[in-house]
Amino acid sequence: MKARVAAAWAAFLAAHVLVAWLGWVLPTQPMGDVVLVYQPWSSAALGGGPIVGITESWVYPQPALLPMLLTQLIAWPLNGVVGTTGAYLIGWAVLVTALDAVGFGVLVGRTGTAARRSAGWFWTTALVLLGPIAMYRIDAITVPLAVIGGCWLVKRPAVATAVLTFAAWIKIWPGAIAVAAVVAAKARMRMLLALLAVTAGIIVVLFVLGADRHLFGFVFEQTGRGLQIEAVAATPFLWLATTGAASIDYSHEILTFQIGAPGVDAVAAVLTPLMALAAAGATVYGAIKAVRGASFPRLFPPLALTIVTALIVTNKVGSPQFQTWLIAPIILWILFDRTRSGLPAGLALAISALTFLVYPLTYAGLLAAETVPILLLTLRNALVIVLLVVAVRALIRVPSTRGSSPQRN
């Protein structure tokens, strides 16, 4: 048993070394956001300049600045050795690896069960298949927090919800797992109070820091965005771009590539309310299942994956790092209901591999509207839709019977 756990740990740490190194050598600067935006934002905050989210509106919730600032501290001893840019990249990779190791420790521990080891191997495989995008983005900070919170849901529901809520204040998606947990668990009142307490505490701190004018700036910054080229809804327009009927344009305001074509603005405008409707619909349906006696191990995994995947499918932003959001709900599905987790886990790994093939390996060709990368992205987006269908189907099939109790793995 210990040998199997040791092997899982060795593979997990080796995967981080490999993926961190790939960020330096692969094309299209897969770690570019770290030094092109995270480092300047944190440097400005430390140097007396503008503080994103506090003195000006920001695309992320304000606590997302914390890991960027922490990386400055980790990188500081290396500044004179490899330069500030190299030091910051190394510091970021170290921070992500350390957080992932904590998450892996909570998940697998020293003598993990078969379900926990399987979940650990899935995490390792997904990390390698996704490549550098799984480490060199702010989303990488939230994955281990979501895993930790998910693992504690049965024994420490209030603490677990607090962790998930804090993670959602870094990048919104872990809130989907928190909502699914509150709906599916019997300790929902304690969990809801924890969610509200953490949120209230963060808001109070932000008000004290002077962020009142930009408190929810991250919400309004997203509403005006166009349709990003990798978004699921952008797929038909990408094929139009191969004929010249659509264009791929760079937005200097939000630093991303978007589709330009007749009808794009209408599609982008519809997606945000559609996302809210899809998430709300899944939540209400899950609540009905819970009221009718569905057990936590059967209800929570497909509900969490349904909401998370719906956030990806209906999003007008399609950044490749969004696929990291799938890691935590799949891990938790393996943990709580291993026998039914095979298909969604397999789809998530295929999605990860296709994402890596698109970004960074063929991304230059995608920007040139070449057929092969568009085909790869089309397959990826189609599989994300299939995964959503699989999750919804599993959610519908959750039996509404009383008497089941959460499994302790």
Side-chain angles (χ1 to χ4, degrees), residues 173-190:
W173 74 268
I177 298 180
V179 168
V182 170
V183 168
K186 294 181 179 180
R188 60 181 60 91
M189 289 307 301
R190 278 188 292 157

Side-chain angles (χ1 to χ4, degrees), residues 305-377:
L305 185 61
T306 295
I307 300 175
V308 170
T309 311
L311 294 181
I312 298 173
V313 170
T314 60
N315 211 310
K316 59 184 175 182
V317 182
S319 301
Q321 62 266 25
F322 283 13
Q323 312 313 314
T324 62
W325 302 358
L326 300 174
I327 293 176
I330 295 293
I331 284 175
L332 299 177
W333 197 329
I334 297 171
L335 185 62
F336 290 113
D337 193 14
R338 183 186 176 196
T339 58
R340 297 174 182 86
S341 65
L343 180 57
L347 286 170
L349 293 179
I351 289 167
S352 298
L354 286 167
T355 300
F356 186 28
L357 290 175
V358 173
Y359 187 89
L361 297 184
T362 62
Y363 197 68
L366 180 66
L367 298 181
E370 294 178 1
T371 301
V372 171
I374 292 178
L375 178 60
L376 291 171
L377 183 58

